[in-house]
Amino acid sequence: MRFTIGDHRAARITCETIFPHDDHAELAGAEHLDIENFLDDIAAHAPWRAVLALKVAFLVCMVSPLLTLGRFATLESLAPEYREKALYKLLYHPNYFLRQLVAVIKGVSALLYSAYPSNRARILSAPRPLLQLIRSPSKVP
Amino acid sequence: MTSPYPLDEARLNNPQRFADDDLPEGSVIDCAAAQLPIDEAYDFVVIGSGASGAVAAHELTSAGFSVAIAEEGPYVRTREFKKEVGSAFLKLFRDGSFQALEGRVFMPVIQGRCVGGTTVVNSAIAWRTPEDVVDEWATQFGLGDAITMRALEPHFEALEHDLNVHAVVDEVLGGNNALFMKQAGAVGLYPTRIKRYERGCKGSSQCLTGCPTAAKQGMNVTYVPWTLALGGRLFCNYRVERIELAGGRAVGVIGSAQSRRDKGTIRLRAKRGVILAASTVQSPNILRRSGVCNRHLGQHFQTHPGCGMGAVLDQDINMYFGATQGAESIHLRASERIKFETISMNPELVPVRCPGLGVDLVRRIGNARHLAIWVTILRSQAEGTVSQGWTGRDRVVFSPTKRDMEHVRAGQVYLARMMFDAGAREVWPGIYGLPPVLTSPDQVKLVEEAPLEPRAYTFIASHLFGAARMARTATGGVVDTTFAVHGVPNLFVVDSSVFPTNLGVNPQHSIMAMSRLASHRIADAPPTLA
């Protein structure tokens, strides 16, 4: 089973929402990653069931505004801050399978994100003062 | 019996060479590229090259038998190991690391699928089988004097000598392990440094993606090359479909090559016996496909689910240097059925533990040098099943019980408390229903009251047991105390699927010792001619 152009597009939008560029962290965003080739590599090695699960996960993420914000729109059609809000709510959704799908995408795309040479070097580099976060950490979504 | 290990001596004398660099010519047959069909005869055919298969092959070869090892995965040499987790997952792990237990909760399973099996991708932790477990097998499962500490003792000693078992040394302890030692000691958990199979660990923290210096004494750089040096042969990329039975006896194995379209048959005939060491998930299904019937086949599957917790501290922890797993505590093993371990994750795995997404996730990844990760390992009481799915895939169904979840929660409370005691700014419980990030020691009470629903937790299963358990009679289990399948002469199972229960400690040492014990019994037994 292979990924289609539509899957590639959904994967890119989802990954860019999960791993955006951030100057403070000095980590390259997902827009620099070769997501398409990475997915094709997975399709060549992983069983078809895993590929199918990823396809479903990308589809669910694309329609997450409907599931989480009650908006009849795709993830792609939203502004970046709303994309993050929609996926965040899906990641902590009461439905176990929905939140697992986002967790799987997060885990798979992390393999590519942290392996990106400049990101890997930054993660392994000498320690720096702790970066400040944007959201109140204890806030339940 | 200890062989001269010429290859290992060569490596020790020349650190630029690895044990898998200089294998005897013609000893490795890559079935993905070999001329097919193949039909060869040996005294023994061993299915699987992991902890149990490699040890069995080595012992039988040392005893003078001709041995062929059949391994489903490729032989990835030490020089081919890469730092990137993604490529390692796809190349070294079963189902490209997408394998998971089914049941109430989605639980990924860590299983190697390459020469050396899971020993290539684990942390090489050595624990002798606890005495209370062996006693339980003797009294509750009727094994009596068949499997005793006294019988296992010489095998543990030989393995510890061969694989250089010792506790993690100061030079490669690393910040994550050192912090656990300090905090666990402070709350009276009596932590210890983990004993590992290791020669000259450089602290690269890459145990999970294949040791780049061959310091980890996995089967790929020890018993497999040693077996080949003694005349054994290895067929890799070879999937065994079934064991051939003739007149009710095992006489060989039949399978096909992986990764090629022409599915030419590969047949390995076994004059003395077939040794099944394909793991708890695969062995029961190979037996099933071979026509073995037993009501216990595929039943009584057990595991050790692991549940992690992360913390951000002010100081530099730097998990990326040091033993991947270097500190542990078994103080609550008997009372709470839990064991604590550290785990240092590769950069690629850190985001999985980090809560949230978007800019905050990225900034937490940026803080990863300050991150510590510790794990609760559960000796679960629940039993699952191993079966074959409708597409022929291996299917494992397992769900923790409510009592299991109470133990896991108790473990997570300990970890959260220890992390805040260490001065953590943030603790990530990873439990649904709780805030993703705890920032105050007062919030540990939220973990104490966390839901007992398994779906609220994130588990990983890495130690697998049962599904073809040992018993004196066929009404009680699948194999007898000589490791032979009940009613099928010349067919032996030597992996952890024969264990009547799980252990509560890391199983590789027990698996190897049981396999070594089995091999000696098989070698000493008079031949049963087919």
Side-chain angles (χ1 to χ4, degrees):
Chain A
M1 187 177 284
R2 293 180 178 184
F3 289 103
T4 63
I5 293 172
D7 295 327
H8 286 161
R9 191 172 177 79
R12 182 158 286 287
I13 291 160
T14 309
C15 291
E16 286 180 10
T17 307
I18 295 172
F19 297 110
H21 174 77
D22 180 54
D23 284 332
H24 286 87
E26 298 172 44
L27 288 159
E31 67 272 16
H32 295 281
L33 308 179
D34 188 358
I35 293 166
E36 293 76 11
N37 269 331
F38 181 65
L39 287 178
D40 290 345
D41 211 19
I42 289 176
H45 289 88
W48 65 267
R49 298 177 305 279
V51 178
L52 181 63
L54 282 173
K55 279 170 166 276
V56 171
F58 291 134
L59 181 66
V60 168
C61 287
M62 286 306 279
V63 299
S64 59
L66 182 64
L67 299 167
T68 59
L69 305 179
R71 288 177 61 174
F72 198 76
T74 64
L75 193 68
E76 190 177 10
S77 66
L78 298 182
E81 62 270 29
Y82 286 103
R83 287 183 189 177
E84 187 180 325
K85 193 174 177 184
L87 274 193
Y88 195 87
K89 287 195 169 208
L90 200 61
L91 184 62
Y92 293 102
H93 198 277
N95 184 296
Y96 176 71
F97 294 100
L98 289 181
R99 62 177 190 264
Q100 281 299 310
L101 289 175
V102 189
V104 166
I105 293 183
K106 187 177 161 186
V108 169
S109 52
L111 298 177
L112 188 61
Y113 177 77
S114 299
Y116 188 68
S118 66
N119 287 355
R120 193 181 176 86
R122 164 68 182 87
I123 293 169
L124 298 175
S125 67
R128 304 164 194 208
L130 286 169
L131 293 163
Q132 292 304 306
L133 304 173
I134 294 173
R135 211 176 258 114
S136 168
S138 289
K139 194 177 171 190
V140 183
Chain B
M1 185 184 307
T2 305
S3 57
Y5 308 145
L7 295 171
D8 192 57
E9 277 175 19
R11 187 188 79 81
L12 288 172
N13 294 333
N14 179 2
Q16 301 307 311
R17 304 293 298 171
F18 301 124
D20 52 2
D21 276 338
D22 305 302
L23 302 172
E25 200 172 336
S27 61
V28 179
I29 295 95
D30 181 354
C31 295
Q35 181 91 31
L36 299 183
I38 293 173
D39 188 344
E40 295 182 7
Y42 297 85
D43 289 329
F44 288 99
V45 175
V46 179
I47 305 172
S49 66
S52 53
V55 169
H58 179 258
E59 293 310 302
L60 293 168
T61 315
S62 300
F65 295 106
S66 63
V67 174
I69 306 173
E71 167 55 51
E72 186 181 358
Y75 202 160
V76 183
R77 309 298 165 95
T78 300
R79 290 184 191 286
E80 298 172 76
F81 291 144
K82 293 194 168 74
K83 285 181 182 174
E84 291 78 23
V85 175
S87 63
F89 274 10
L90 293 176
K91 206 183 270 186
L92 302 173
F93 286 69
R94 182 163 291 280
D95 287 351
S97 79
F98 284 95
Q99 189 185 19
L101 304 186
E102 299 170 28
R104 180 106 191 107
V105 60
F106 171 84
M107 202 181 295
V109 184
I110 305 295
Q111 259 198 314
R113 186 184 153 276
C114 54
V115 172
T118 305
T119 69
V120 178
V121 293
N122 70 5
S123 301
I125 298 172
W127 261 103
R128 290 189 178 196
T129 316
E131 278 193 55
D132 60 287
V133 172
V134 178
D135 289 345
E136 190 183 344
W137 293 357
T139 54
Q140 293 185 28
F141 294 90
L143 299 188
D145 56 2
I147 308 291
T148 61
M149 287 307 287
R150 195 188 169 108
L152 290 169
E153 184 85 19
H155 301 289
F156 284 131
E157 280 176 9
L159 292 163
E160 285 156 17
H161 170 265
D162 287 357
L163 302 179
N164 199 35
V165 171
H166 61 270
V168 172
V169 295
D170 282 346
E171 289 73 17
V172 293
L173 186 61
N176 192 29
N177 301 317
L179 186 67
F180 178 87
M181 291 293 292
K182 184 180 165 197
Q183 295 310 129
V187 297
L189 286 177
Y190 300 96
T192 50
R193 294 187 184 198
I194 286 177
K195 288 182 180 169
R196 303 182 301 160
Y197 314 102
E198 170 260 296
R199 269 194 178 89
C201 175
K202 305 283 188 296
S204 65
S205 210
Q206 289 179 48
C207 289
L208 307 183
T209 51
C211 181
T213 60
K216 181 172 77 173
Q217 300 292 282
M219 300 300 106
N220 56 320
V221 292
T222 55
Y223 285 117
V224 169
W226 296 342
T227 300
L228 303 183
L230 292 167
R233 292 191 94 194
L234 168 68
F235 294 79
C236 58
N237 283 313
Y238 171 38
R239 178 181 155 83
V240 171
E241 301 294 345
R242 63 184 171 86
I243 295 157
E244 262 192 302
L245 304 180
R249 298 164 198 277
V251 294
V253 301
I254 288 187
S256 56
Q258 295 280 290
S259 319
R260 58 193 279 175
R261 289 186 179 180
D262 56 322
K263 293 285 181 189
T265 307
I266 303 170
R267 182 178 182 218
L268 301 177
R269 281 171 285 138
K271 291 180 271 186
R272 293 281 298 255
V274 174
I275 314 286
L276 186 51
S279 100
T280 301
V281 177
Q282 282 71 43
S283 291
N285 285 335
I286 291 176
L287 289 174
R288 250 191 209 109
R289 292 199 296 268
S290 310
V292 172
C293 294
N294 185 299
R295 71 187 178 92
H296 295 283
L297 189 56
Q299 304 298 309
H300 317 298
F301 169 86
Q302 287 202 303
T303 184
H304 291 158
C307 191
M309 188 172 279
V312 180
L313 296 108
D314 283 331
Q315 70 263 38
D316 179 25
I317 301 296
N318 190 13
M319 310 192 280
Y320 313 112
F321 172 78
T324 302
Q325 295 194 269
E328 64 187 353
S329 165
I330 61 156
H331 187 61
L332 300 179
R333 180 183 163 274
S335 59
E336 297 286 342
R337 299 180 70 90
I338 51 177
K339 173 180 187 277
F340 297 113
E341 290 176 354
T342 55
I343 183 156
S344 296
M345 290 185 168
N346 303 55
E348 288 94 327
L349 299 177
V350 166
V352 180
R353 287 299 324 161
C354 292
L357 48 78
V359 173
D360 278 347
L361 170 65
V362 170
R363 291 190 180 179
R364 286 197 169 96
I365 296 168
N367 289 336
R369 283 279 297 237
H370 302 265
L371 180 61
I373 298 177
W374 301 338
V375 187
T376 301
I377 303 286
L378 169 73
R379 186 185 179 201
S380 69
Q381 290 171 307
E383 289 192 353
T385 58
V386 176
S387 62
Q388 203 150 347
W390 59 275
T391 54
R393 72 190 175 95
D394 301 310
R395 182 166 185 256
V396 185
V397 179
F398 175 85
S399 298
T401 64
K402 189 181 173 205
R403 192 86 189 98
D404 286 336
M405 295 310 303
E406 286 171 358
H407 293 311
V408 170
R409 185 174 67 179
Q412 297 302 85
V413 169
Y414 262 94
L415 292 185
R417 200 166 283 145
M418 283 157 55
M419 285 170 161
F420 278 120
D421 287 350
R425 280 181 175 256
E426 290 189 353
V427 170
W428 305 336
I431 302 172
Y432 181 76
L434 268 59
V437 177
L438 307 180
T439 53
S440 152
D442 296 339
Q443 290 180 302
V444 174
K445 68 175 183 296
L446 296 175
V447 184
E448 289 170 1
E449 294 158 4
L452 294 174
E453 164 59 51
R455 287 182 173 176
Y457 296 73
T458 305
F459 288 107
I460 285 187
S462 52
H463 308 152
L464 315 173
F465 311 87
R469 77 180 184 194
M470 182 181 281
R472 288 196 179 271
T473 63
T475 54
V478 179
V479 303
D480 65 22
T481 52
T482 65
F483 295 83
V485 173
H486 282 294
V488 188
N490 293 358
L491 176 55
F492 306 91
V493 184
V494 301
D495 59 30
S496 60
S497 55
V498 307
F499 287 22
T501 66
N502 53 13
L503 309 175
V505 296
N506 310 64
Q508 185 182 335
H509 211 38
S510 301
I511 292 170
M512 292 195 296
M514 287 280 275
S515 174
R516 203 172 187 279
L517 171 70
S519 309
H520 285 223
R521 287 183 181 171
I522 293 164
D524 293 342
T528 313
L529 296 176

